[in-house]
Amino acid sequence: DAGVIQSPRHEVTEMGQEVTLRCKPISGHNSLFWYRQTMMRGLELLIYFNNNVPIDDSGMPEDRFSAKMPNASFSTLKIQPSEPRDSAVYFCASSISGTETQYFGPGTRLLVL
Amino acid sequence: GNSVTQMEGPVTLSEEAFLTINCTYTATGYPSLFWYVQYPGEGLQLLLKATKADDKGSNKGFEATYRKETTSFHLEKGSVQVSDSAVYFCALSFPSGGSYIPTFGRGTSLIVHP
């Protein structure tokens, strides 16, 4: 069975450019989570969705970050404009609402120069 | 608020050594407790979990017991292998708005030498 799929796996961009990260959750999962992982701050929850609806975006660092989930099988995390401090590994995870286990994608490693 | 504290790494061991990674938590109420493992270049995956006091989670030779009195969930393995080299995350979660939202520790890197 396919797990959580993220693309791209690696992204190198220049400061000021727009970055779009993509996620396809496991089929049948109706909760989706975006995380950011850095050495300094560890693993941070940015936003999560239930049934395609954003529930809590209090972890989104600032207005430069936005996330959408137009349907049950696709979500995006956009950074516009990007800054060097956004460099991190971004993970998408999905779960079945009401259950405890989250299933993580392989992550997108973002480097902003 | 809720928080999870893990021992800092890296933990460096020889193959077949005994492993302990300490984890303590602070929470209001009785959360579920988890250990996730992250192998190099991959996302986190659930290793084991325990949902109530005195429960023992186990998987792949790893064990952890939910200790309410000490608010701990230490990870142990009797004989580690090189393939166990990874980063281990302790986490707790409560239900929130229909989902379980985990609070993760900072992670502990384990390096096992042949």
Side-chain angles (χ1 to χ4, degrees):
Chain A
D1 290 340
V4 175
I5 298 172
Q6 292 187 246
S7 64
R9 292 294 308 275
H10 301 272
E11 177 81 27
V12 180
T13 190
E14 293 188 346
M15 182 174 62
Q17 296 298 306
E18 178 180 294
V19 174
T20 299
L21 311 181
R22 297 173 176 81
C23 175
K24 176 179 170 57
I26 293 173
S27 177
H29 285 193
N30 59 345
S31 291
L32 184 139
F33 306 80
W34 281 102
Y35 291 89
R36 179 171 68 176
Q37 185 180 41
T38 62
M39 290 294 292
M40 290 294 292
R41 301 172 70 92
L43 197 63
E44 304 172 275
L45 177 64
L46 301 178
I47 184 172
Y48 77 95
F49 297 82
N50 271 355
N51 297 315
N52 313 338
V53 177
I55 302 299
D56 184 354
D57 65 354
S58 60
M60 296 284 261
E62 49 197 272
D63 291 346
R64 297 185 297 107
F65 286 68
S66 63
K68 294 182 180 180
M69 192 165 186
N71 57 62
S73 59
F74 184 65
S75 177
T76 59
L77 178 68
K78 186 175 294 186
I79 308 172
Q80 166 63 17
S82 58
E83 296 182 2
R85 61 193 168 120
D86 302 330
S87 298
V89 182
Y90 291 82
F91 289 104
C92 175
S94 70
S95 70
I96 297 173
S97 181
T99 66
E100 297 169 315
T101 302
Q102 295 192 354
Y103 297 81
F104 283 73
T108 295
R109 186 172 296 275
L110 173 65
L111 178 60
V112 183
L113 302 174
Chain B
N2 302 325
S3 66
V4 175
T5 303
Q6 294 181 233
M7 60 189 291
E8 288 196 20
V11 173
T12 303
L13 296 173
S14 297
E15 205 164 25
E16 299 184 3
F18 184 85
L19 168 70
T20 299
I21 299 178
N22 291 335
C23 170
T24 57
Y25 67 90
T26 302
T28 303
Y30 302 109
S32 295
L33 300 175
F34 307 82
W35 279 100
Y36 280 80
V37 58
Q38 183 181 26
Y39 297 104
E42 299 183 9
L44 281 70
Q45 55 186 274
L46 181 67
L47 180 60
L48 54 84
K49 69 177 183 181
T51 57
K52 61 183 187 296
D54 300 325
D55 268 2
K56 177 184 284 188
S58 61
N59 186 25
K60 299 181 181 179
F62 291 89
E63 293 183 339
T65 301
Y66 191 142
R67 300 289 188 198
K68 185 178 67 173
E69 61 278 7
T70 55
T71 61
S72 65
F73 193 54
H74 305 321
L75 182 68
E76 296 182 336
K77 187 175 185 182
S79 175
V80 294
Q81 306 300 312
V82 172
S83 57
D84 294 328
S85 298
V87 181
Y88 292 81
F89 292 86
C90 185
L92 63 83
S93 77
F94 287 101
S96 173
S99 292
Y100 283 80
I101 308 304
T103 298
F104 287 95
R106 294 297 304 271
T108 302
S109 176
L110 170 66
I111 301 169
V112 181
H113 294 292

PDB file of all heavy atoms in Angstrom, chain B residues 21-37:
ATOM      1  N   ILE B  21      16.697   4.778  26.632  1.00  0.00           N
ATOM      2  CA  ILE B  21      16.514   6.194  26.311  1.00  0.00           C
ATOM      3  C   ILE B  21      15.410   6.712  27.232  1.00  0.00           C
ATOM      4  O   ILE B  21      14.280   6.232  27.181  1.00  0.00           O
ATOM      5  CB  ILE B  21      16.123   6.427  24.841  1.00  0.00           C
ATOM      6  CG1 ILE B  21      17.220   5.898  23.907  1.00  0.00           C
ATOM      7  CG2 ILE B  21      15.904   7.922  24.591  1.00  0.00           C
ATOM      8  CD1 ILE B  21      16.885   6.042  22.427  1.00  0.00           C
ATOM      9  N   ASN B  22      15.775   7.682  28.047  1.00  0.00           N
ATOM     10  CA  ASN B  22      14.832   8.193  29.037  1.00  0.00           C
ATOM     11  C   ASN B  22      13.850   9.192  28.433  1.00  0.00           C
ATOM     12  O   ASN B  22      14.213  10.010  27.578  1.00  0.00           O
ATOM     13  CB  ASN B  22      15.576   8.862  30.187  1.00  0.00           C
ATOM     14  CG  ASN B  22      16.335   7.859  31.038  1.00  0.00           C
ATOM     15  OD1 ASN B  22      15.985   6.687  31.088  1.00  0.00           O
ATOM     16  ND2 ASN B  22      17.371   8.320  31.712  1.00  0.00           N
ATOM     17  N   CYS B  23      12.626   9.123  28.922  1.00  0.00           N
ATOM     18  CA  CYS B  23      11.584  10.054  28.500  1.00  0.00           C
ATOM     19  C   CYS B  23      10.676  10.328  29.685  1.00  0.00           C
ATOM     20  O   CYS B  23      10.179   9.390  30.319  1.00  0.00           O
ATOM     21  CB  CYS B  23      10.761   9.471  27.358  1.00  0.00           C
ATOM     22  SG  CYS B  23       9.279  10.421  26.949  1.00  0.00           S
ATOM     23  N   THR B  24      10.485  11.593  29.992  1.00  0.00           N
ATOM     24  CA  THR B  24       9.507  11.988  31.003  1.00  0.00           C
ATOM     25  C   THR B  24       8.564  13.003  30.390  1.00  0.00           C
ATOM     26  O   THR B  24       8.901  13.679  29.414  1.00  0.00           O
ATOM     27  CB  THR B  24      10.181  12.600  32.246  1.00  0.00           C
ATOM     28  OG1 THR B  24      10.973  13.720  31.842  1.00  0.00           O
ATOM     29  CG2 THR B  24      11.057  11.586  32.951  1.00  0.00           C
ATOM     30  N   TYR B  25       7.391  13.110  30.962  1.00  0.00           N
ATOM     31  CA  TYR B  25       6.403  14.001  30.382  1.00  0.00           C
ATOM     32  C   TYR B  25       5.719  14.830  31.462  1.00  0.00           C
ATOM     33  O   TYR B  25       5.718  14.467  32.646  1.00  0.00           O
ATOM     34  CB  TYR B  25       5.353  13.210  29.590  1.00  0.00           C
ATOM     35  CG  TYR B  25       4.471  12.328  30.435  1.00  0.00           C
ATOM     36  CD1 TYR B  25       3.278  12.793  30.972  1.00  0.00           C
ATOM     37  CD2 TYR B  25       4.836  11.015  30.703  1.00  0.00           C
ATOM     38  CE1 TYR B  25       2.472  11.992  31.760  1.00  0.00           C
ATOM     39  CE2 TYR B  25       4.046  10.195  31.498  1.00  0.00           C
ATOM     40  CZ  TYR B  25       2.874  10.692  32.017  1.00  0.00           C
ATOM     41  OH  TYR B  25       2.089   9.883  32.809  1.00  0.00           O
ATOM     42  N   THR B  26       5.151  15.928  31.032  1.00  0.00           N
ATOM     43  CA  THR B  26       4.304  16.775  31.870  1.00  0.00           C
ATOM     44  C   THR B  26       2.985  16.955  31.144  1.00  0.00           C
ATOM     45  O   THR B  26       2.968  17.344  29.967  1.00  0.00           O
ATOM     46  CB  THR B  26       4.947  18.154  32.114  1.00  0.00           C
ATOM     47  OG1 THR B  26       6.216  17.981  32.723  1.00  0.00           O
ATOM     48  CG2 THR B  26       4.060  19.011  32.993  1.00  0.00           C
ATOM     49  N   ALA B  27       1.906  16.619  31.816  1.00  0.00           N
ATOM     50  CA  ALA B  27       0.600  16.735  31.172  1.00  0.00           C
ATOM     51  C   ALA B  27      -0.481  16.801  32.235  1.00  0.00           C
ATOM     52  O   ALA B  27      -0.326  16.265  33.338  1.00  0.00           O
ATOM     53  CB  ALA B  27       0.351  15.549  30.251  1.00  0.00           C
ATOM     54  N   THR B  28      -1.566  17.441  31.881  1.00  0.00           N
ATOM     55  CA  THR B  28      -2.750  17.446  32.730  1.00  0.00           C
ATOM     56  C   THR B  28      -3.623  16.284  32.300  1.00  0.00           C
ATOM     57  O   THR B  28      -4.085  16.245  31.161  1.00  0.00           O
ATOM     58  CB  THR B  28      -3.505  18.775  32.572  1.00  0.00           C
ATOM     59  OG1 THR B  28      -2.624  19.853  32.878  1.00  0.00           O
ATOM     60  CG2 THR B  28      -4.705  18.812  33.491  1.00  0.00           C
ATOM     61  N   GLY B  29      -3.818  15.336  33.171  1.00  0.00           N
ATOM     62  CA  GLY B  29      -4.585  14.163  32.801  1.00  0.00           C
ATOM     63  C   GLY B  29      -3.694  13.005  32.427  1.00  0.00           C
ATOM     64  O   GLY B  29      -2.499  12.982  32.745  1.00  0.00           O
ATOM     65  N   TYR B  30      -4.253  12.062  31.698  1.00  0.00           N
ATOM     66  CA  TYR B  30      -3.536  10.827  31.373  1.00  0.00           C
ATOM     67  C   TYR B  30      -3.499  10.635  29.862  1.00  0.00           C
ATOM     68  O   TYR B  30      -4.438  10.107  29.261  1.00  0.00           O
ATOM     69  CB  TYR B  30      -4.223   9.650  32.084  1.00  0.00           C
ATOM     70  CG  TYR B  30      -4.275   9.861  33.572  1.00  0.00           C
ATOM     71  CD1 TYR B  30      -5.474  10.148  34.218  1.00  0.00           C
ATOM     72  CD2 TYR B  30      -3.112   9.828  34.334  1.00  0.00           C
ATOM     73  CE1 TYR B  30      -5.517  10.371  35.577  1.00  0.00           C
ATOM     74  CE2 TYR B  30      -3.145  10.062  35.699  1.00  0.00           C
ATOM     75  CZ  TYR B  30      -4.353  10.333  36.312  1.00  0.00           C
ATOM     76  OH  TYR B  30      -4.400  10.564  37.667  1.00  0.00           O
ATOM     77  N   PRO B  31      -2.396  11.070  29.279  1.00  0.00           N
ATOM     78  CA  PRO B  31      -2.301  10.973  27.822  1.00  0.00           C
ATOM     79  C   PRO B  31      -1.955   9.565  27.371  1.00  0.00           C
ATOM     80  O   PRO B  31      -1.595   8.701  28.180  1.00  0.00           O
ATOM     81  CB  PRO B  31      -1.131  11.921  27.509  1.00  0.00           C
ATOM     82  CG  PRO B  31      -0.254  11.819  28.720  1.00  0.00           C
ATOM     83  CD  PRO B  31      -1.216  11.668  29.902  1.00  0.00           C
ATOM     84  N   SER B  32      -2.044   9.327  26.096  1.00  0.00           N
ATOM     85  CA  SER B  32      -1.414   8.163  25.483  1.00  0.00           C
ATOM     86  C   SER B  32       0.048   8.522  25.217  1.00  0.00           C
ATOM     87  O   SER B  32       0.373   9.683  24.953  1.00  0.00           O
ATOM     88  CB  SER B  32      -2.105   7.800  24.168  1.00  0.00           C
ATOM     89  OG  SER B  32      -3.428   7.384  24.406  1.00  0.00           O
ATOM     90  N   LEU B  33       0.914   7.509  25.290  1.00  0.00           N
ATOM     91  CA  LEU B  33       2.350   7.739  25.120  1.00  0.00           C
ATOM     92  C   LEU B  33       2.883   6.902  23.958  1.00  0.00           C
ATOM     93  O   LEU B  33       2.407   5.774  23.736  1.00  0.00           O
ATOM     94  CB  LEU B  33       3.105   7.388  26.404  1.00  0.00           C
ATOM     95  CG  LEU B  33       2.697   8.174  27.651  1.00  0.00           C
ATOM     96  CD1 LEU B  33       3.434   7.638  28.886  1.00  0.00           C
ATOM     97  CD2 LEU B  33       2.983   9.656  27.471  1.00  0.00           C
ATOM     98  N   PHE B  34       3.858   7.454  23.260  1.00  0.00           N
ATOM     99  CA  PHE B  34       4.355   6.843  22.028  1.00  0.00           C
ATOM    100  C   PHE B  34       5.874   6.941  21.951  1.00  0.00           C
ATOM    101  O   PHE B  34       6.472   7.866  22.493  1.00  0.00           O
ATOM    102  CB  PHE B  34       3.794   7.573  20.794  1.00  0.00           C
ATOM    103  CG  PHE B  34       2.305   7.711  20.772  1.00  0.00           C
ATOM    104  CD1 PHE B  34       1.688   8.725  21.484  1.00  0.00           C
ATOM    105  CD2 PHE B  34       1.524   6.836  20.045  1.00  0.00           C
ATOM    106  CE1 PHE B  34       0.301   8.858  21.471  1.00  0.00           C
ATOM    107  CE2 PHE B  34       0.148   6.967  20.023  1.00  0.00           C
ATOM    108  CZ  PHE B  34      -0.465   7.980  20.734  1.00  0.00           C
ATOM    109  N   TRP B  35       6.445   6.013  21.227  1.00  0.00           N
ATOM    110  CA  TRP B  35       7.787   6.160  20.694  1.00  0.00           C
ATOM    111  C   TRP B  35       7.698   6.029  19.184  1.00  0.00           C
ATOM    112  O   TRP B  35       7.125   5.064  18.667  1.00  0.00           O
ATOM    113  CB  TRP B  35       8.749   5.109  21.251  1.00  0.00           C
ATOM    114  CG  TRP B  35       9.282   5.446  22.595  1.00  0.00           C
ATOM    115  CD1 TRP B  35       8.860   4.972  23.795  1.00  0.00           C
ATOM    116  CD2 TRP B  35      10.356   6.348  22.896  1.00  0.00           C
ATOM    117  NE1 TRP B  35       9.602   5.526  24.824  1.00  0.00           N
ATOM    118  CE2 TRP B  35      10.520   6.377  24.289  1.00  0.00           C
ATOM    119  CE3 TRP B  35      11.206   7.142  22.106  1.00  0.00           C
ATOM    120  CZ2 TRP B  35      11.494   7.142  24.929  1.00  0.00           C
ATOM    121  CZ3 TRP B  35      12.172   7.908  22.730  1.00  0.00           C
ATOM    122  CH2 TRP B  35      12.306   7.908  24.121  1.00  0.00           C
ATOM    123  N   TYR B  36       8.248   7.044  18.511  1.00  0.00           N
ATOM    124  CA  TYR B  36       8.391   7.018  17.065  1.00  0.00           C
ATOM    125  C   TYR B  36       9.876   6.902  16.735  1.00  0.00           C
ATOM    126  O   TYR B  36      10.726   7.378  17.493  1.00  0.00           O
ATOM    127  CB  TYR B  36       7.861   8.301  16.424  1.00  0.00           C
ATOM    128  CG  TYR B  36       6.349   8.366  16.262  1.00  0.00           C
ATOM    129  CD1 TYR B  36       5.525   8.702  17.334  1.00  0.00           C
ATOM    130  CD2 TYR B  36       5.760   8.116  15.028  1.00  0.00           C
ATOM    131  CE1 TYR B  36       4.146   8.787  17.176  1.00  0.00           C
ATOM    132  CE2 TYR B  36       4.373   8.194  14.861  1.00  0.00           C
ATOM    133  CZ  TYR B  36       3.577   8.536  15.940  1.00  0.00           C
ATOM    134  OH  TYR B  36       2.222   8.612  15.772  1.00  0.00           O
ATOM    135  N   VAL B  37      10.184   6.318  15.582  1.00  0.00           N
ATOM    136  CA  VAL B  37      11.570   6.189  15.132  1.00  0.00           C
ATOM    137  C   VAL B  37      11.698   6.811  13.747  1.00  0.00           C
ATOM    138  O   VAL B  37      10.789   6.688  12.916  1.00  0.00           O
ATOM    139  CB  VAL B  37      12.026   4.708  15.138  1.00  0.00           C
ATOM    140  CG1 VAL B  37      11.152   3.834  14.258  1.00  0.00           C
ATOM    141  CG2 VAL B  37      13.490   4.600  14.713  1.00  0.00           C
TER     142      VAL B  37
END
